[in-house]
């Protein structure tokens, strides 16, 4: 049979343009008369894709090997698919016959495409594409079965002979490029089909046809339908050409160009559709996150019999794996272990300071020594907050696992278990912003403290159950004394207190002043016949200079030092925690002695000078900056008589007051205060010397030391 060029249906270049493509889409849209029957086309598309994958020829006459040990997941669909095919098979066969007939009489691809569109006019847009692909898959699969089996199967050999295939099957050098080009177009059609099926399956609860993301895609889908059906027609003509024209057809470069042009066009359609599909997914995820956030808000407002609903809402368990990692046993465990327990949520990013972890670990481990004590009846879960816009790469994974390995308590198995809605809740409701939080949930899942970190640093596990009421009760028991200031940083302090010794804490970075001060203090103590113990507590955020000072103090036997530099950090962070805790309860410098002393100590740290505090017992304490304290000690003979009469510390305080001048310049650094919070606290921060409100300044610091 002589075949005209129209048999191959070569595309007009104008038809491949954007305007031409939309015009073709209008033609298809004019045939669209949906019958209102909804059919899930994904199982059919799975079978079609399976046919294309299995039919891809390795070489003429070679049988493609399939690993029989691997389960065929698509076979699971076959039982439900059989019932569906009772409805669809007649349409698929009709499309196949229509294409074969029209191409055999020389009709062009465009007319054949519109004829197929008439057959599928009652189906949804995704069904139109899948049905056309299914019709071609039958033709393609049958042809490739013969290609694969003709050398070994007598039946296939006879069929190949009737189709005049043996001659062309000997030309593997020409056959492979033809099928490679064909396979590229088939792959392009399949991914477009997947896109349209996914568009059809988008949940109407979260995205509506009038939404711009979906309406834009819906406007382009008719064009995608036209070009996919047309591509199946062209592919069918290629198979028929192989059967009817043999070597003459194999060597045709014109048809290879047309297949490549169609592939390029279909890929462009796919790229456009998948971009719009991603925008739809983004909109859906945004609405799901909003819904999940609102659900979380309602959940925390509700009353529960235990904490399971809350914990399961916060930690998304996926893949049926236990969601928690036990830092002690180093294995995954069920969240059920925390039912009706007080749970502390340690919330941080992956930049949580190691020294902070060390202190928390020490407090936690101390609480486990006697697990039956009331103060030990709590558990901790680390909730890592990782920005979803960043790729969780190998570096971040190692960082997460390194932090997780340091923690003896529970942590989530993976940061992805913290969903976007939960992260939003943590940031907006609990106020997380880089600085670690310790949110306390009672056994019923109620938030009883949005941040117990200050309580934990001040009192450790003695603050259990870490509620605001417990915090108020603990403060009512406190006075400004050396035990509150420093008893948790060095066990020797308790012994010194028991022995009624004078205790001096001092700090700063000037090593020359430290030598003068400690030497003078020892001399005065000897003269005054008092037992004095001195302890160096450095400066907040201790760096190399403080470390060198600690070494020199030990080598020169000037005073005691702390066993680890992280304890210096802890001393100052406890003071900052005291300020945060008192401020949360509405206490100000004007009406509270403890707050005055806390701010005085923080002011000492903010200055460039050294400082010292000396105490004996619970009610005797004196403190001053470096120059004032050293000068007072050097002038001891001037107040020696007063010390003998009143006592050492009262006399020292009197001498401090005699040296005070109207001129002063106090600086106070309050770490962890955001720019937004400055306005709300500036009226409560007043100078401890004159009582006037302190001027608020914004400071940026980079200390490499």
């Amino acid at each position: 049979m002589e075949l005209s060029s129209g048999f191959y249906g070569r595309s007009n270049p104008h038809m491949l343009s954007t305007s031409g493509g939309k015009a073709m889409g209008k033609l298809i849209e004019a045939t669209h008369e949906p019958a209102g029957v909804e059919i899930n086309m994904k199982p059919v598309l799975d079978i079609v894709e399976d046919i294309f994958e299995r039919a891809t020829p390795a070489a003429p006459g070679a049988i493609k090997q399939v690993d029989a040990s691997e389960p065929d997941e698509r076979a699971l669909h076959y039982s439900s698919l059989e019932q569906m095919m009772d409805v669809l098979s007649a349409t698929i066969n009709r499309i196949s016959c229509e294409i074969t007939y029209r191409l055999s009489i020389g009709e062009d691809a465009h007319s054949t495409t519109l004829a197929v569109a008439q057959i599928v006019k009652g189906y949804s847009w995704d069904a139109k594409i899948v049905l056309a692909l299914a019709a071609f898959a039958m033709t393609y699969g049958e042809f490739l079965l013969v290609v694969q089996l003709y050398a070994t199967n007598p039946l296939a050999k006879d069929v190949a002979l009737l189709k005049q295939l043996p001659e062309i099957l000997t030309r593997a050098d020409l056959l492979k490029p033809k099928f490679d080009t064909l396979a590229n177009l088939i792959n392009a059609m399949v991914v477009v089909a997947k896109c349209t099926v996914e568009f059809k399956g988008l949940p109407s609860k979260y995205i509506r046809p009038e939404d711009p993301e979906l309406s834009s895609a819906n406007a382009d889908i008719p064009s995608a339908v036209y070009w996919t059906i047309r591509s199946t027609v062209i592919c069918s003509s290629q198979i028929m050409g192989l059967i009817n024209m043999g070597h003459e057809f194999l060597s045709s470069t014109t048809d290879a160009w047309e297949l490549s042009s169609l592939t390029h066009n279909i890929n462009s359609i796919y790229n456009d559709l998948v971009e719009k599909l991603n925008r739809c997914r983004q909109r859906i995820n945004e609405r799901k996150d909003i819904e999940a956030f609102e659900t979380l808000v309602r959940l925390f407002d509700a009353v529960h019999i235990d904490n399971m609903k809350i914990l399961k809402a916060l930690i998304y368990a996926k893949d049926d794996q236990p969601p928690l990692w036990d830092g002690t046993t180093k294995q995954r465990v069920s969240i059920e272990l925390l039912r009706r327990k007080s749970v502390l949520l340690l919330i941080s990013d992956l930049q949580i300071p190691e020294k902070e972890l060390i202190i928390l670990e020490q407090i936690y481990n101390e609480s486990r020594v006697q697990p039956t004590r009331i103060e030990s009846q709590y558990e901790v879960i680390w909730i890592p907050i990782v920005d979803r816009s960043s790729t969780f790469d190998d570096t971040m994974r190692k960082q997460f696992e390194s932090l997780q390995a340091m923690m003896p308590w529970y942590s989530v198995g993976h940061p992805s278990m913290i969903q976007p809605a939960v992260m939003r809740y943590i940031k907006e409701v609990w106020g997380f912003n880089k600085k670690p939080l310790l949110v306390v949930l009672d056994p019923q899942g109620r938030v009883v403290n949005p941040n117990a970190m200050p309580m934990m640093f001040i009192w450790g596990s003695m603050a259990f159950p870490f509620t605001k009421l417990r915090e108020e009760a603990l403060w009512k028991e406190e006075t400004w004394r050396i035990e509150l200031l420093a008893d948790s940083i060095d066990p020797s302090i308790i012994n010194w207190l028991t022995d009624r010794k004078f205790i001096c804490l001092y700090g700063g970075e000037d090593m020359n002043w430290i030598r003068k001060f400690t030497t003078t203090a020892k001399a005065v103590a000897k003269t005054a016949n008092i037992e004095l113990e001195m302890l160096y507590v450095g400066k907040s955020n201790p760096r190399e200079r403080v470390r060198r000072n600690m070494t020199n103090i030990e080598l020169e036997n000037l005073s005691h030092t702390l066993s680890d530099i992280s304890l210096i950090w802890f001393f100052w962070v406890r003071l900052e925690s005291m300020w945060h805790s008192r401020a949360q309860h509405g206490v100000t410098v004007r009406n509270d002695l403890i707050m005055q002393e806390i701010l005085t100590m923080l002011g000492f740290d903010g200055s460039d000078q050294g400082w010292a505090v000396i105490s004996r017992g619970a009610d005797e304490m004196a403190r001053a900056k470096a120059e004032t304290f050293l000068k007072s000690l050097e002038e001891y003979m001037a107040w020696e008589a007063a010390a003998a009469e009143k006592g050492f510390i009262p006399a020292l305080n009197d001498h401090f007051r005699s040296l005070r001048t109207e001129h002063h310049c106090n600086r106070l650094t309050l770490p962890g205060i955001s720019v937004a919070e400055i306005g709300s606290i500036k009226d409560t921060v007043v100078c401890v010397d004159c009582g006037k409100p302190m001027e608020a300044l914004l400071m940026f610091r980079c200390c490499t030391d």
Side-chain angles (χ1 to χ4, degrees):
M1 179 177 69
E2 186 176 340
L3 300 172
S4 68
S5 62
F7 178 86
Y8 305 107
R10 296 190 179 99
S11 303
N12 184 326
H14 172 69
M15 293 174 66
L16 297 174
S17 68
T18 303
S19 58
K22 290 189 179 298
M24 297 304 104
K26 292 292 184 184
L27 291 175
I28 291 290
E29 204 165 1
T31 68
H32 188 50
E33 299 176 6
V37 178
E38 297 296 328
I39 302 175
N40 178 16
M41 298 305 296
K42 189 177 184 307
V44 182
L45 182 57
D46 287 343
I47 297 300
V48 168
E49 187 177 9
D50 195 37
I51 290 172
F52 288 137
E53 287 178 0
R54 295 179 187 275
T56 304
I63 298 186
K64 188 171 183 178
Q65 298 297 321
V66 178
D67 187 353
S69 65
E70 292 184 2
D72 185 358
E73 295 182 3
R74 291 188 174 106
L76 299 174
H77 295 299
Y78 286 171
S79 57
S80 59
L81 188 61
E82 286 179 3
Q83 188 175 2
M84 189 186 300
M85 292 311 298
D86 288 341
V87 178
L88 300 178
S89 59
T91 303
I92 294 171
N93 280 304
R94 185 180 169 192
I95 294 170
S96 179
C97 292
E98 188 76 17
I99 292 173
T100 302
Y101 168 71
R102 289 182 177 272
L103 292 179
S104 66
I105 63 173
E107 189 163 312
D108 63 84
H110 175 66
S111 300
T112 305
T113 300
L114 295 181
V116 173
Q118 281 294 330
I119 296 173
V120 295
K121 66 181 181 181
Y123 291 92
S124 59
W125 293 110
D126 64 314
K128 294 178 194 291
I129 289 182
V130 175
L131 291 171
L133 270 177
F136 170 64
M138 286 199 310
T139 302
Y140 187 73
E142 290 168 358
F143 178 75
L144 266 297
L145 270 176
V146 175
V147 170
Q148 292 179 8
L149 300 176
Y150 89 97
T152 57
N153 187 295
L155 176 60
K157 187 172 184 178
D158 289 342
V159 172
L161 187 61
L162 290 176
K163 290 179 175 287
Q164 299 179 0
L165 291 178
E167 185 180 358
I168 64 166
L169 293 180
T170 59
R171 295 298 307 273
D173 57 325
L174 296 176
L175 192 62
K176 187 178 184 306
K178 177 70 71 175
F179 273 102
D180 286 347
T181 307
L182 203 60
N184 290 336
L185 180 54
I186 289 170
N187 290 336
M189 289 190 291
V190 168
V191 293
V192 167
K194 286 183 174 181
C195 259
T196 57
V197 169
E198 189 165 350
F199 271 116
K200 174 69 177 306
L202 293 177
S204 58
K205 180 180 179 182
Y206 301 107
I207 193 160
R208 297 173 291 275
E210 60 269 21
D211 288 330
E213 298 88 351
L214 187 53
S215 63
S216 175
N218 286 339
D220 291 343
I221 285 178
S223 178
V225 170
Y226 173 85
W227 286 108
T228 306
I229 295 176
R230 183 185 175 97
S231 296
T232 64
V233 172
I234 297 298
C235 288
S236 297
S237 74
Q238 296 292 307
I239 301 300
M240 290 182 66
L242 282 171
I243 295 171
N244 290 292
M245 299 183 70
H247 287 311
E248 179 186 344
F249 185 77
L250 280 174
S251 59
S252 170
T253 56
T254 306
D255 295 292
W257 174 87
E258 180 166 26
L259 287 175
S260 297
S261 298
L262 274 173
T263 302
H264 176 76
N265 191 38
I266 295 292
N267 280 331
S268 296
I269 290 171
Y270 167 73
N271 291 334
D272 186 53
L273 285 178
V274 82
E275 181 184 343
K276 291 173 180 177
L277 182 58
N278 286 334
R279 289 205 293 266
C280 287
R281 289 170 180 154
Q282 184 178 351
R283 174 57 66 93
I284 289 168
N285 288 336
E286 287 171 358
R287 287 175 174 164
K288 282 184 176 180
D289 289 344
I290 291 171
E291 181 183 66
F293 175 80
E294 292 171 349
T295 300
L296 207 54
V297 170
R298 290 194 297 272
L299 201 59
F300 273 102
D301 288 341
V303 177
H304 307 282
I305 59 172
D306 59 35
N307 54 7
M308 283 296 97
K309 282 187 177 181
I310 293 293
L311 291 177
K312 288 178 180 179
L314 291 172
I315 302 169
Y316 172 66
K318 57 181 181 179
D319 302 329
D320 297 325
Q321 286 190 355
L324 297 181
W325 175 261
D326 189 330
T328 303
T329 63
K330 307 300 181 185
Q331 61 185 5
R332 290 283 192 112
V333 294
S334 170
I335 207 166
E336 289 288 334
L337 292 174
L338 305 180
R339 185 184 291 272
R340 294 192 180 93
K341 289 189 177 183
S342 292
V343 176
L344 278 59
L345 305 176
L346 174 59
I347 300 168
S348 77
D349 56 20
L350 299 183
Q351 307 296 327
I352 184 170
E354 183 177 340
K355 54 195 173 187
E356 199 156 326
L357 275 181
I358 291 171
I359 299 300
L360 287 173
E361 180 184 1
Q362 181 180 333
I363 295 170
Y364 178 83
N365 288 338
E366 287 174 358
S367 74
R368 305 295 114 167
V369 174
Q370 294 180 305
T372 57
R373 291 188 314 166
I374 187 66
E375 295 87 359
S376 303
Q377 305 308 305
Y378 68 90
E379 299 293 347
V380 179
I381 308 175
W382 179 39
I383 306 292
I385 304 300
V386 177
D387 186 2
R388 289 294 185 96
S389 63
S390 303
T391 303
F392 192 76
D393 56 17
D394 196 51
T395 301
M396 293 180 73
R397 179 187 61 78
K398 289 178 180 177
Q399 193 175 8
F400 166 73
E401 291 175 354
S402 174
L403 285 170
Q404 191 181 52
M406 294 174 62
M407 300 176 181
W409 46 78
Y410 297 107
S411 60
V412 298
H414 192 274
S416 62
M417 292 180 170
I418 308 304
Q419 295 293 292
V422 175
M423 285 194 278
R424 179 188 168 192
Y425 188 91
I426 287 171
K427 291 175 181 178
E428 292 186 11
V429 179
W430 292 343
F432 172 74
N433 183 20
K434 293 188 177 296
K435 192 175 177 66
L437 293 180
L438 202 59
V439 177
V440 183
L441 305 179
D442 72 4
Q444 287 72 46
R446 291 173 299 191
V447 176
V448 292
N449 195 333
N451 188 17
M453 195 74 82
M455 289 183 73
M456 186 67 85
F457 282 152
I458 299 167
W459 296 290
S461 296
M462 290 299 296
F464 180 85
F466 309 104
T467 63
K468 287 296 182 183
L469 289 175
R470 176 60 176 159
E471 189 172 23
E472 288 178 11
L474 286 168
W475 276 123
K476 285 178 181 178
E477 298 170 5
E478 291 289 1
T479 58
W480 186 249
R481 54 203 173 104
I482 201 71
E483 292 100 314
L484 175 63
L485 180 60
D487 76 340
S488 59
I489 63 168
D490 193 307
S492 300
I493 292 176
I494 298 297
N495 296 329
W496 297 340
L497 285 166
T498 303
D499 295 340
R500 296 285 295 168
K501 291 183 177 182
F502 286 81
I503 300 170
C504 177
L505 305 180
Y506 69 98
E509 294 180 316
D510 185 345
M511 195 61 213
N512 290 328
W513 176 84
I514 290 171
R515 288 189 179 98
K516 289 180 183 177
F517 171 74
T518 52
T519 303
T520 305
K522 287 179 182 178
V524 169
K526 185 176 182 180
T527 302
N529 195 28
I530 62 174
E531 291 187 89
L532 177 66
E533 300 288 353
M534 289 186 288
L535 179 65
Y536 177 64
V537 292
K539 199 171 179 66
S540 63
N541 292 314
R543 300 177 188 274
E544 188 57 34
R545 194 171 176 185
V546 169
R547 193 185 299 273
R548 288 198 302 268
N549 286 352
M550 291 174 69
T551 302
N552 291 330
I553 290 167
E554 290 172 8
L555 288 173
E556 299 174 32
N557 197 26
L558 299 177
S559 75
H560 299 282
T561 59
L562 293 169
S563 59
D564 190 277
I565 196 169
S566 64
L567 291 171
I568 289 183
W569 170 85
F570 182 49
F571 173 81
W572 291 104
V573 85
R574 278 187 79 247
L575 273 170
E576 293 162 13
S577 297
M578 291 179 201
W579 179 83
H580 281 285
S581 177
R582 298 294 278 173
Q584 285 175 5
H585 289 276
V587 174
T588 69
V589 172
R590 291 188 177 93
N591 60 20
D592 184 73
L593 175 63
I594 293 178
M595 188 64 121
Q596 290 172 14
E597 296 298 331
I598 291 170
L599 289 179
T600 298
M601 293 296 298
L602 293 174
F604 286 164
D605 185 58
S607 71
D608 296 327
Q609 300 183 42
W611 58 271
V613 170
I614 190 168
S615 171
R616 188 190 188 202
D619 54 357
E620 291 187 1
M621 190 175 288
R623 40 59 173 183
K625 291 180 181 178
E627 291 181 2
T628 301
F629 214 124
L630 182 57
K631 186 176 182 181
S632 295
L633 292 177
E634 290 173 340
E635 296 175 354
Y636 174 65
M637 299 305 294
W639 52 276
E640 183 180 16
E645 180 185 348
K646 298 179 179 179
F648 186 86
I649 291 178
L652 180 59
N653 271 323
D654 287 345
H655 198 72
F656 285 162
R657 282 188 283 271
S658 71
L659 297 177
R660 185 176 297 166
T661 62
E662 291 186 6
H663 172 74
H664 61 271
C665 182
N666 292 330
R667 287 181 295 175
L668 178 64
T669 302
L670 297 175
I673 302 298
S674 67
V675 176
E677 291 176 299
I678 290 176
S680 62
I681 67 167
K682 65 179 182 180
D683 292 334
T684 66
V685 180
V686 298
C687 177
V688 293
D689 286 331
C690 64
K692 294 178 181 179
M694 297 183 77
E695 181 184 7
L697 302 172
L698 189 62
M699 180 179 73
F700 296 91
R701 182 174 64 178
C702 176
C703 295
T704 57
D705 209 84

